[in-house]
Amino acid sequence: MKKRIVALDVGDRRIGIAVSDPLGITAQPLETYTRVGYGPDARHIAQIAEKYETDQILCGLPRNMDGTQGFQVEKVREFAAKLEELGLRISYYDERMTTMLAEGALLEANMRREDRKKKVDMVAAVMILQSYLDANVSVADSTEEDEEEDDDDGILEMVDEDGNVIRFYLSANIRYADEDYVLLTCAEAAEDIDQDESFIMLCTTDDEGSACYQSLEDEALIAAVYEAYLAQSENT
């Protein structure tokens, strides 16, 4: 029988956790773990691995949308190193889009924003693991990924109402109902915003004619724009 795989979507505040079935065919959600510190977090994952009689850990690797790696990748690797110290074997899998897709799936379920925040990391971990299983990727092979460093992380900086600078990845441009929108993914945790949390915003201009982004409050509009984004992605 194959060893199960425990998959992790590692964020600054939470870790989404999923596990494969005994046959290695399907991914099953486990929990969203609220982080305490590197030591306790690593021990918690080790206890889950022990429960499922495995030493195989799959970490989602949050590459930038252009395939390069940023500082969040290093954070994941640092945490993975702590797991390796506990005797766990680490593999990585490209997790681009999984958090946004998980957010979209929860949006489709008409889940409130606060409830989505509690579950999106776990759903993302399921998507990471299921993609890995579907691709039939070997754990041994995936530990030796060749990555190139790039200082240009494609970061967009925005200033909130309190003057705080928040860094986003510009993940996609979306055209819907004769309006232009963008899909932004938070590059790092900020006040009331989690790292990897995604937002759809309207492209508009300020009083001086400069381009700017306007947040959306209409959940139905957000869902509709996201559907347009998915259709756009399928056609590219």
Side-chain angles (χ1 to χ4, degrees), residues 155-199:
I155 295 293
L156 173 69
E157 294 187 345
M158 300 178 65
V159 180
D160 66 14
E161 295 178 351
D162 298 321
N164 300 313
V165 176
I166 305 175
R167 293 154 57 86
F168 291 92
Y169 297 122
L170 177 55
S171 301
N173 294 289
I174 310 163
R175 184 70 176 173
Y176 173 74
D178 296 326
E179 297 280 7
D180 292 313
Y181 297 85
V182 290
L183 183 61
L184 302 179
T185 304
C186 193
E188 58 192 356
E191 185 176 359
D192 297 327
I193 301 178
D194 293 336
Q195 184 269 326
D196 280 344
E197 188 170 355
S198 298
F199 299 87

Side-chain angles (χ1 to χ4, degrees), residues 17 31 33 39-49:
I17 307 173
E31 63 174 284
Y33 169 78
D41 299 346
R43 289 192 291 273
H44 182 76
I45 301 303
Q47 289 172 356
I48 291 176

